[in-house]
Amino acid sequence: MLFFSYFKDLVGREVTVELKNDLAIRGTLHSVDQYLNIKLENTRVVDQDKYPHMLSVRNCFIRGSVVRYVLLPPEGVDIEILHDATRREARGG
Amino acid sequence: MALPGPEDIYLSTSLASYLDKKLLVLLRDGRKLMGTLRSFDQFANAVLEGACERVIVGDMYCDIPLGLYVIRGENVVLIGELDLQREELPPHMTRVSTEEIKKAQKADRESSDLKGTMRKRMEFLDMDYVYWLFALLDFIGMGVMNIVEISCLILAPGMNTPIKKTLLLNLNKFVRLFLHTPSSSSSS
């Protein structure tokens, strides 16, 4: 549940989600669930010319299983907290 | 885990907020389906009413009507809400008939298949040697290869006969393919 909690903290931030089919979408993180499905708002596709069908999509739901990377804003990562949480999780707490 | 109440649906990741809206569903095989979401579950299985497939080839597109579709969740990549206020596609794209788009799709598939087989055949070549030859040609400042250089390639040692045949038969395509994708084919 660590990454679920972690992504919940990132709600409202601007992220880029790169999918396994190489499509990269930038948008505001609206919500995330236990499967790490992601909902984005105000989306725009990074390589717009290559994906013309995505032009009129403003909000989208991305299935967690097709995500390759989530690129986060650098200020959205507090390494200290993440580090502690990881240790706590590893201990089973 | 408690189910979200109706007031939470716009805050949760559930697809409930997309119900009865016109959506674009991207599938794992690259297909793009459009339709109205009527039902869904936790696996992203979805029922689309009035579904149609949008086929895009280059600057042409076509919506092929399909009817009522039940999509198995594992095939779903993305579900996007279509903004009806915005233009759906860039203005330079033109709508064509189903027959035309199918023809264009077939031609497109055949040309990419050809590219694939060419690349596969080239794996037999000593890529380092060919690569250096091209680097050298580039260095000398030759944009386009002439027949002498191609003959050098064909007569080069360490190349097997089918490759030579391919070269002779498809000189033009081969050279163009090479000039565009030397690095990707050598790394594969």
Side-chain angles (χ1 to χ4, degrees):
Chain A
M1 293 299 263
L2 177 62
F3 282 89
F4 175 40
S5 322
Y6 179 59
F7 277 121
K8 273 201 291 191
D9 277 350
L10 283 171
V11 164
R13 296 282 181 80
E14 181 103 337
V15 296
T16 306
V17 181
E18 187 182 314
L19 309 185
K20 288 180 188 169
N21 61 8
D22 292 334
L23 173 66
I25 306 165
R26 192 157 173 76
T28 311
L29 190 65
H30 170 272
S31 59
V32 66
D33 66 10
Q34 79 246 36
Y35 307 109
L36 304 189
N37 294 331
I38 290 171
K39 254 189 182 177
L40 292 182
E41 280 185 335
N42 294 318
T43 53
R44 60 179 184 285
V45 172
V46 174
D47 190 358
Q48 189 66 258
D49 299 338
K50 217 176 143 193
Y51 306 97
H53 52 279
M54 293 295 290
L55 199 66
S56 57
V57 175
R58 297 285 88 189
N59 309 315
C60 73
F61 165 93
I62 300 165
R63 201 173 194 265
S65 64
V66 301
V67 174
R68 187 186 287 138
Y69 305 123
V70 180
L71 286 80
L72 314 164
E75 68 275 11
V77 194
D78 189 330
I79 298 294
E80 283 297 304
I81 294 175
L82 197 60
H83 197 156
D84 289 348
T86 309
R87 285 173 186 281
R88 223 175 304 127
E89 191 106 341
R91 277 201 306 267
Chain B
M1 194 180 274
L3 284 170
E7 69 283 359
D8 299 331
I9 62 166
Y10 293 101
L11 294 171
S12 79
T13 314
S14 116
L15 287 166
S17 63
Y18 291 168
L19 272 174
D20 303 323
K21 295 227 168 78
K22 193 163 184 221
L23 304 176
L24 172 85
V25 181
L26 229 64
L27 300 183
R28 273 196 311 181
D29 62 359
R31 271 188 253 210
K32 300 163 270 294
L33 302 183
M34 286 159 57
T36 312
L37 184 71
R38 292 300 184 199
S39 182
F40 68 91
D41 66 6
Q42 73 270 37
F43 306 110
N45 292 323
V47 178
L48 283 190
E49 193 185 16
C52 57
E53 181 182 348
R54 173 157 285 178
V55 186
I56 300 178
V57 182
D59 277 351
M60 293 181 286
Y61 77 96
C62 181
D63 293 334
I64 302 169
L66 302 167
L68 184 73
Y69 253 47
V70 181
I71 304 163
R72 192 176 157 86
E74 61 179 336
N75 301 298
V76 171
V77 168
L78 173 150
I79 299 182
E81 199 179 337
L82 285 174
D83 189 342
L84 298 173
Q85 260 61 261
R86 289 172 67 91
E87 285 278 325
E88 281 194 4
L89 286 169
H92 62 84
M93 299 191 73
T94 50
R95 188 187 200 120
V96 297
S97 69
T98 314
E99 291 75 39
E100 262 179 278
I101 204 77
K102 284 206 167 137
K103 212 189 287 170
Q105 204 178 14
K106 196 165 166 248
D108 193 54
R109 206 174 291 145
E110 273 166 8
S111 77
S112 66
D113 280 357
L114 181 71
K115 232 181 185 174
T117 50
M118 291 297 243
R119 202 161 296 164
K120 216 174 263 172
R121 282 180 197 169
M122 280 195 290
E123 281 165 17
F124 291 108
L125 296 175
D126 180 353
M127 285 317 293
D128 279 348
Y129 166 77
V130 177
Y131 202 55
W132 279 111
L133 187 71
F134 272 91
L136 190 67
L137 286 173
D138 230 25
F139 182 71
I140 300 167
M142 303 216 197
V144 187
M145 287 182 73
N146 61 36
I147 205 75
V148 180
E149 285 135 19
I150 294 168
S151 355
C152 289
L153 247 180
I154 295 167
L155 297 174
M159 226 186 273
N160 55 19
T161 0
I163 294 296
K164 285 181 191 177
K165 251 187 210 162
T166 321
L167 264 174
L168 282 168
L169 288 173
N170 298 298
L171 279 181
N172 260 331
K173 285 173 196 155
F174 201 82
V175 169
R176 227 178 301 136
L177 197 67
F178 244 123
L179 290 175
H180 286 161
T181 57
S183 53
S184 64
S185 48
S186 68
S187 62
S188 65

